[in-house]
Amino acid sequence: WNPGGEGYNVVSDFGFGPWRAANEKFVDSFSLAYALVERRIGAASTLDATGDNMGRGGVARLVFGGSTSDEPWSVWAMGGDGSSALIGTLASSGAGNNKPPPYAEIEQLFRDAGTAASLRTRRSGQARSLEDKLEEKVGESGSVADWSLMSTAEVAAALRAGTVTSGDVASWNKDVCRKACDALDLSSAGKVEALRERIVAAMEKETSEAKK
């Protein structure tokens, strides 16, 4: 649904003339109860030569939680590994309209939060990476949680951290194997047994090269 009647059509979704006026009046009678809006702030997707994020900025998700508060919009900074952090709350862009806050105010929250809200945080080493979290988890329990529930980014981080064993790979289903193949730049074609052998061979190769 397009509540603003906006789009690329010459004629508004609400029609024109008296029909548009009647439709706009009807929509204006609604009260916003919940909204989730995404905004890209700064260099949110700019990558450097290593393939990592660079620059200050990131992806913000704004959640409207009700009009009873003076600042009903909570702003969440989304991390490159899928994590999120609440970096502040903001008022609506205009009195009584409950529209998302303007770009400049969201950008200021990112500046105030500094590297904690930046996709560059992991690269700069100023926040715990997925690799650090996975290593800590393995140290506490001796194993990683259910691999089938892990995202591609988490599987890739586990491989980089060296927390994956051949025993782990032997237990992987085809979906997890494909995620690992993507992370290791391997072909994901073939049966699951072939994928497991391919992954283990790549891991052993990296280990031997690291010892040289």
Side-chain angles (χ1 to χ4, degrees):
W1 178 50
N2 184 8
E6 301 169 353
Y8 297 101
N9 299 326
V10 176
V11 178
S12 167
D13 291 351
F14 291 160
F16 58 91
W19 297 277
R20 176 171 181 171
N23 288 330
E24 288 178 341
K25 183 178 180 180
F26 173 66
V27 171
D28 288 342
S29 68
F30 292 177
S31 295
L32 183 63
Y34 174 82
L36 175 61
V37 180
E38 185 168 291
R39 294 285 187 268
R40 301 176 76 81
I41 306 300
S45 60
T46 303
L47 302 180
D48 62 15
T50 69
D52 207 344
N53 294 95
M54 63 184 295
R56 185 64 56 81
V59 175
R61 287 185 181 170
L62 287 67
V63 180
F64 180 84
S67 57
T68 57
S69 171
D70 293 334
E71 295 184 340
W73 292 92
S74 57
V75 182
W76 296 78
M78 307 304 296
D81 59 357
S83 60
S84 61
L86 178 64
I87 59 173
T89 58
L90 293 172
S92 300
S93 61
N97 61 22
N98 289 329
K99 290 184 178 180
Y103 178 95
E105 293 185 10
I106 305 171
E107 184 180 35
Q108 186 60 52
L109 280 183
F110 271 76
R111 289 176 178 170
D112 293 343
T115 56
S118 174
L119 287 180
R120 191 179 181 183
T121 299
R122 285 186 58 213
R123 179 171 177 263
S124 64
Q126 297 184 40
R128 297 177 66 218
S129 66
L130 266 178
E131 291 91 330
D132 293 335
K133 295 175 184 177
L134 287 167
E135 286 177 338
E136 180 180 322
K137 189 172 187 64
V138 171
E140 292 175 349
S141 61
S143 65
V144 175
D146 189 351
W147 287 102
S148 64
L149 300 178
M150 298 182 74
S151 66
T152 301
E154 290 172 318
V155 173
L159 288 165
R160 289 194 300 269
T163 58
V164 180
T165 66
S166 57
D168 290 325
V169 179
S171 69
W172 287 355
N173 59 29
K174 196 165 188 177
D175 180 58
V176 181
C177 286
R178 283 175 172 167
K179 293 175 182 178
C181 285
D182 288 341
L184 295 169
D185 198 22
L186 301 173
S187 170
S188 58
K191 295 183 178 180
V192 64
E193 292 81 5
L195 299 185
R196 290 169 181 162
E197 291 178 0
R198 203 172 297 155
I199 293 165
V200 170
M203 289 167 50
E204 291 175 347
K205 181 180 179 181
E206 287 190 1
T207 301
S208 62
E209 290 179 350
K211 292 179 179 178
K212 293 180 180 179

